[in-house]
């Protein structure tokens, strides 16, 4: 490879049939590319083929796309070609709790999370100082009525449009979203949700978890669909607790799991490692 | 301590109020006992005080009980005095799957689980060989009708009565139990249940878990109440899985968690480490 | 309890013998105290008795101490009486890496870590901004010669003296300490150390771990003794890695474990949960 | 695919250079094969390319090998073609402790571990009954002198030769092996070793771990080299412990980790998921 070579991420999704790997690797050889990483999965559930490649090649994005086109057309692929490490344009929505936002910003600065955050949008002003410390623009708009809620969602979609936002992260944004809003951002909006065994519905889940004496509490990062807290799961973590924990302590422990689980999900998404197979995710770690 | 001293386990439950520890430790000092282990917990939820002590004392059970009686009466305690390491008389119910039974029997023989199993009672004959290898009596009775089910439950209660059974373990016994049966064994019957985030209701939970692409699967050991799979939780474990797992593999992985979780719960119960605070357990590990 | 009652932490260490619990609980009853939490441990290794109590009592520290004195003298106890939640006066030493400091400061502000940090002392200026954001004084002094090193250590001891520092935390302070310095702070200085199976000596441990293809990497928080990286262990964590991780990624993963492990150790220390039994710790979680 | 198609595992190792994936996938397309699983890794450390494929193809082993030969020769590959699920011919060596053997045999019978065990060879007779229950031949030969040790090793090599043994498993075989013996079985002999942070050398490691108050204990499964306990690591697990554990309890807990870690390593080896990159393993899970 010359010094001018670029590291590319190529993801492909198509109907599963023989010859795909040979065809796509041929196109890559034709582009003088070298495959440095490759993962694939054939879903028995849906008959779908998924592939993620990292390729080193001294070629422009236009040239590489042109070289791939005959294959992506023949197999009717959904595909995406991107440069390794390009920061993902990410909009973060928050309310008052800062644990998830803090974790994302700290890791971004530490070079562990490749995102670019043009704005943090909040329905409370509490986290302005945290955003400011990390040099990220912050905007707060109250959401206390149906009108304000609609205005907030409209503002989100406007920011998404104007900034070419690729991912919206609900970093403990404590508002129910309208189905239209969820649909408009389908596949590019991620939420973090506390998780328990068994699951608890309704308000005060940590109180319920305490009352049932659960021994594990955790968090689930998932895509948002109109069916709240029920979209495709990206990542889950749990941690052990015991009877001596108060509901307040369970909340604190749960927040740690929420932070690391959400950041992990955003990181995988930013690295094009998350693909969708109907209601479940394929994660190429 | 002399060579004749015995190691005792003493568990106490009563209304929480000042002076309990001083009173009980005074009775122990009076019996020339030495406290070697002590755990206590005051439940803010119910105002109940829980305590588990291990005491070394050269005294008979009758003498020790008599020494404790003034205190247990004054504080209206529910209490239990037992010898450390005495095997718990345990009845195990199974169907066809042997993973939980195998784990319990192997650990019993290895000296890691202090239980005495006068009988394994099954609704299928499949596990007779496993029981025989470990020298445990095995009895199989079909449960294919309401009559047979009632007869099976009656047989269980008879075995419990005749053998002074202290714990009934549902080691993957795949039959729904009658409310009367559950009530009759309340507080001394433990079940193992697969667990997912989120929870799945109905048949084929592993298929549902696969379809939703869960990233963690686990198991919950709990007391059986008439509300199936919803009794107080004793222990929970989870293990990480990914999209490449077939439903059959999820079952295999889940079984490992079931085995170790159930055996752990039985071990704690056998060591008098599991106390009940309304709908949740206090576990003195 | 009246509204004026205080929540106390009482820790006791003495030679193990019968009657200690009765004696101490008697003194507490005498002070109209109510034991809300209690843990004890008798070390077979050293014949030492350890106890940690939380007590609710409407009494001053002087009165409580006086009430305990006959017992603590009779049993020749090492003991400590403190108020629950009192922030621990903590001095943090850092170099360039901010992950541990960030985690501690974020949790302190979030109310999850009860420490008061009068100063962050560094041998590099890099983390001044982070300290400033959290409103913590920061002082940087180069350590590039034996003289500067001696001056740095002298400055630490001066800060400890002037600020009644109770704990010194080496939050990735990358300098070897003199034996005299370690001895002067014995039992109140904690370090965080990367950990591998097997252990690797010398420079570039992550490179060695990569070369051997370890599957777990982790961190150990321990008291500092003159035998570097070998003092009594307070807490350990590990996380799973695989062959695809570069040495740089192992470093990033290891830093997460370092942060959470060190913060946990500081938290337990601040809550008087860490006692010493010769070369090992008793942790009353 | 027709009903006559076979599921194949193909592993390849060669010097890394462009075009390998295209070439090998071309040979597979030429054999009318369909790639159902594929994993690859390029080692920056050694410049080596590793690949594991699962391929569905209605073809004999000879035909498939012939179709691959031009490619394997051109790239000077070390390669292996096998049928998915073919039981691995495995020789197990044991001493007195049965936990690892029990776990392997139970999982083999449960269909979770695809091994065929023509013999369990022991230096003590204690585990004869366990082997008999699972219908596995058992042979015991004392090893109490240098002569007996040499005879034992010779017998192992004879069994390996006569039974086309593919893997020798040291399931807590408590004898030091000669360098010649290790060399003769290089790359096909796996050991299980207790593991601690920090590592402890010499006799009674659990006692040392107890004395240092370790908070994690675990196990490492690794290839055996002449440098005892230091071969390439295949799998590692740890579990949390605390100060209250006696050395005997640490042993019991450690045994659980040993069992599951060793069985996991054997399972991966049997599925051709373990490849060697100098001193470390590439594991294609």
């Amino acid at each position: 490879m010359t010094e001018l070579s670029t590291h590319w991420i190529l993801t492909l999704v198509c109907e599963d049939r023989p010859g795909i790997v040979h065809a796509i690797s041929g196109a890559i050889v034709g582009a003088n590319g070298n495959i440095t990483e490759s993962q694939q999965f054939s879903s028995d559930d849906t008959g779908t083929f998924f592939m993620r490649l990292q390729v080193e090649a001294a070629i422009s994005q236009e040239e590489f796309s042109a070289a791939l086109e005959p294959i992506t057309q023949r197999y009717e692929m959904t595909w995406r070609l991107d440069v390794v490490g390009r920061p993902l344009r990410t909009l973060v929505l928050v309310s008052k709790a800062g644990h998830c936002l803090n974790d994302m910003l700290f890791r971004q600065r530490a070079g562990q999370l490749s995102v670019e955050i043009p704005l943090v949008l909040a329905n409370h002003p509490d986290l302005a100082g945290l955003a400011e410390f990390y040099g990220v623009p912050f905007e707060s708009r109250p959401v206390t009525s149906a009108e304000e809620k609609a205005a907030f969602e409209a503002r989100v979609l406007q920011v998404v449009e104007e900034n070419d936002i690729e991912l919206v992260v609900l970093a403990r944004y404590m508002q129910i979203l309208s189905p239209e809003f969820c649909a408009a951002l389908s596949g590019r909006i991620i939420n973090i949700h506390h998780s328990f065994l068994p699951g608890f519905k309704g308000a005060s889940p940590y109180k319920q978890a305490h009352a049932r004496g659960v021994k594990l509490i955790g968090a689930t990062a998932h895509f948002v669909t109109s069916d709240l807290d029920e979209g495709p799961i990206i990542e889950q973590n749990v941690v052990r607790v015991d009877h001596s924990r108060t509901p307040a302590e369970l909340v604190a422990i749960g927040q740690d799991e929420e932070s690391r689980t959400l950041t992990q999900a955003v990181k995988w998404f930013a690295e094009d490692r998350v693909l969708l197979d109907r209601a479940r995710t394929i994660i190429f770690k």
Side-chain angles (χ1 to χ4, degrees), chain A residues 107-269:
Chain A
R107 279 165 210 282
Q108 179 201 30
R109 177 175 288 184
Q112 294 171 16
L113 180 66
S114 189
V115 295
E116 177 197 331
I117 303 177
L119 187 63
V120 172
L121 198 47
N123 64 329
H124 292 284
D126 307 48
L127 301 178
L130 179 62
E132 185 190 10
F133 170 63
Y134 283 103
V136 176
F138 181 89
E139 179 181 319
S140 171
R141 308 173 148 249
V143 177
T144 58
S145 66
E147 288 71 31
E148 286 179 348
K149 180 182 206 136
F152 191 97
E153 292 190 352
R155 175 63 179 141
V156 171
L157 295 177
Q158 182 192 29
V159 172
V160 167
E161 180 68 23
E162 290 176 1
N163 294 274
D164 291 326
I165 292 296
E166 298 167 285
L167 179 67
V168 176
V169 178
L170 306 182
R172 300 306 285 154
Y173 177 67
M174 305 303 281
Q175 290 286 325
I176 292 174
L177 305 169
S178 72
E180 298 73 30
F181 180 83
C182 295
L185 294 172
S186 177
R188 46 183 180 146
I189 177 166
I190 292 177
N191 186 36
I192 183 70
H193 189 246
H194 49 69
S195 296
F196 306 96
L197 296 160
F200 300 104
K201 301 286 180 188
S204 301
Y206 284 97
K207 273 194 191 163
Q208 291 186 64
H210 174 80
R212 269 299 300 285
V214 300
K215 307 305 181 195
L216 297 173
I217 65 173
T220 297
H222 61 93
F223 283 111
V224 175
T225 58
S226 54
D227 187 0
L228 190 70
D229 299 333
E230 291 288 329
I233 296 165
I234 300 169
E235 176 62 332
Q236 303 185 294
N237 283 298
V238 290
V239 70
R240 190 164 290 278
V241 294
D242 70 17
H243 61 264
S244 69
R245 299 298 188 176
T246 63
E249 288 174 323
L250 294 184
V251 168
I253 293 166
Q255 287 184 345
D256 277 2
E257 296 308 297
E258 290 167 7
S259 301
R260 70 185 187 105
T261 304
L262 179 60
T263 301
Q264 181 65 76
V266 171
K267 183 177 169 65
W268 284 336
F269 189 93

Side-chain angles (χ1 to χ4, degrees), chain A residues 97-108:
Chain A
H99 54 288
C100 288
L101 180 63
N102 179 71
D103 196 68
M104 286 178 63
L105 293 177
F106 179 76
R107 279 165 210 282
Q108 179 201 30

